[in-house]
């Protein structure tokens, strides 16, 4: 039985540069080698062959991920999400079609990175329809300079992307808007923030009693829900959602349990669903 190839991951002590050096040191495959490995994986479920296909194309993920550096998200997370897309591409790759894996994988890598960006770039999702997603990922590069678009410029971009000028202007407004802090900066004694305009009901006795009862109920409920999980699922949920030092990445947990990041994602989703069911009596 074939063993899977150990893939490099970005751990907490790693730098992006050292990871890039490692993946760039892996030689690219020739067309013949690629076809042979893909055939072994497709016909014999040879996981070592699949691992070699992924390993030789990690540099492709790095190259694509760098194109999304302007969204303010950690480059390591963009790369790791792109790697998931690469693994999906390898799983679906058919060498008999005469297309190189590089060309086939680009779509899957970008799709996974796009989904990650849309989930995390803003607290409020700004691109939910297909047209909005197309605008979100193309407007930055098509817009000349930082000045607001004129109607003529918006129409030109709209024609190129097959959307309405109004949709272009709306997306520009969404993307140019900044998240406003609820609290004022401590260094600005004269500054006002949205919280200053909100009524303070914290000292109202019934609100305090209700909140205290709810917090107790929820904390007990969460502990009960965690107890319903098997040890591996509980470890994943605690690391992803309940850690004090930020959530652990899918790839860190994948390395810990010696499985794929996609498998960790599946276990996490199943565990959250099980916890939701366990919490329903508390919510009621």
């Amino acid at each position: 039985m074939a063993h899977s190839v150990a893939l490099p991951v970005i751990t907490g002590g790693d730098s992006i540069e050292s990871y890039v050096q490692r993946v760039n040191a892996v030689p690219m495959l020739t067309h013949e080698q690629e076809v042979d490995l893909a055939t072994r994986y497709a016909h014999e479920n040879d996981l070592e062959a699949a691992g070699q296909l992924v390993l030789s194309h990690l540099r492709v993920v790095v190259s694509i991920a760098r194109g999304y550096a302007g969204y303010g998200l950690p480059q390591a997370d963009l790369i790791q999400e792109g790697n998931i897309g690469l693994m999906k591409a390898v799983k679906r790759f058919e060498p008999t079609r005469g297309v190189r894996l590089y060309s086939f994988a680009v779509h899957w890598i970008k799709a996974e990175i796009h989904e990650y960006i849309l989930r995390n770039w803003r607290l409020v999702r700004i691109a939910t329809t297909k047209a909005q997603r197309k605008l979100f990922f193309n407007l930055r590069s098509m817009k000349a300079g930082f000045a607001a678009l004129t109607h003529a410029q918006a129409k030109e971009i709209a024609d190129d992307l097959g959307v309405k000028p109004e949709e272009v202007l709306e997306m520009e407004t969404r993307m140019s808007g900044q998240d406003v802090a609820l609290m004022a900066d401590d260094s600005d004694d004269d500054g006002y923030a949205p919280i200053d305009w909100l009524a303070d009901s914290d000292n109202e006795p019934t609100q305090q009693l209700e909140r205290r009862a709810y917090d107790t109920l929820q904390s007990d409920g969460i502990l009960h829900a965690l107890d319903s999980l098997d040890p591996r699922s509980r470890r994943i949920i605690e690391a992803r959602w309940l850690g004090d030092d930020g959530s652990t990445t899918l790839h860190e947990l994948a390395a810990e349990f010696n499985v794929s990041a996609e498998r960790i994602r599946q276990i996490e989703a199943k565990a959250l669903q099980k916890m939701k069911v366990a919490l329903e009596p508390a919510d009621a």
Side-chain angles (χ1 to χ4, degrees):
M1 183 175 179
H3 298 283
S4 59
V5 175
L7 303 178
V9 296
I10 308 174
T11 62
D14 259 342
S15 67
I16 294 295
E17 291 75 16
S18 63
Y19 173 84
V20 171
Q21 287 177 358
R22 295 206 305 275
V23 300
N24 283 342
V26 180
M28 292 292 289
L29 301 172
T30 65
H31 188 206
E32 291 74 17
Q33 290 173 324
E34 186 176 289
V35 170
D36 175 62
L37 291 170
T39 302
R40 283 163 47 192
Y41 176 54
H43 294 168
E44 304 170 21
N45 196 30
D46 189 335
L47 298 183
E48 183 176 0
Q52 290 177 5
L53 287 170
V54 172
L55 193 63
S56 65
H57 286 78
L58 290 177
R59 65 174 70 192
V60 177
V61 176
V62 171
S63 176
I64 293 174
R66 282 177 168 171
Y68 296 92
Y71 293 97
L73 294 171
Q75 189 72 191
D77 289 345
L78 293 173
I79 291 173
Q80 290 177 346
E81 294 297 321
N83 286 345
I84 293 175
L86 172 60
M87 287 185 280
K88 289 181 177 180
V90 168
K91 185 176 181 180
R92 293 165 174 81
F93 182 56
E94 298 180 15
T96 57
R97 294 185 178 273
V99 179
R100 293 298 300 267
L101 177 57
Y102 169 86
S103 301
F104 180 77
V106 167
H107 163 77
W108 293 94
I109 295 168
K110 287 186 175 181
E112 207 70 26
I113 293 176
H114 285 188
E115 287 297 324
Y116 174 76
I117 292 174
L118 292 175
R119 289 197 311 267
N120 295 279
W121 194 57
R122 285 277 177 85
L123 293 177
V124 179
R125 293 189 179 187
I126 70 168
T128 55
T129 68
K130 185 176 181 180
Q132 287 173 344
R133 291 185 180 209
K134 184 186 294 186
L135 278 169
F136 181 78
F137 289 107
N138 289 278
L139 188 55
R140 284 175 179 270
S141 59
M142 298 181 72
K143 184 178 176 182
F146 297 100
L149 290 172
T150 65
H151 186 76
Q153 291 171 329
K155 185 177 186 309
E156 183 179 353
I157 293 175
D159 291 341
D160 287 342
L161 296 178
V163 297
K164 298 178 181 178
E166 294 77 12
E167 292 175 321
V168 175
L169 294 173
E170 180 186 358
M171 181 57 66
E172 181 193 28
T173 301
R174 291 188 183 190
M175 294 181 68
S176 61
Q178 297 296 320
D179 295 329
V180 179
L182 182 65
M183 305 288 290
D185 189 346
D186 292 338
S187 63
D188 187 1
D189 295 333
D190 298 325
Y192 287 91
I195 198 170
D196 297 320
W197 304 96
L198 300 179
D200 182 10
S201 59
D202 285 346
N203 295 321
E204 207 277 312
T206 58
Q207 293 289 337
Q208 286 187 337
L209 289 173
E210 182 180 345
R211 185 167 56 252
R212 187 177 303 169
Y214 178 80
D215 289 344
T216 300
L217 188 63
Q218 287 298 306
S219 61
D220 291 344
I222 290 175
L223 289 175
H224 171 71
L226 286 172
D227 288 339
S228 70
L229 303 177
D230 61 86
R232 181 173 66 170
S233 297
R234 177 164 182 161
R235 161 63 184 152
I236 290 172
I237 292 299
E238 288 178 339
R240 291 282 290 164
W241 296 95
L242 303 177
D244 295 330
D245 55 352
S247 63
T248 305
T249 66
L250 294 173
H251 282 269
E252 288 172 343
L253 288 167
E256 178 178 334
F257 289 103
N258 195 28
V259 296
S260 68
E262 179 63 23
R263 179 59 182 152
I264 294 295
R265 188 197 296 275
Q266 293 171 357
I267 296 172
E268 178 187 16
K270 186 175 181 180
L272 288 173
Q273 181 60 35
K274 189 172 183 179
M275 288 182 66
K276 181 180 178 181
V277 173
L279 283 169
E280 284 177 355
D283 290 339

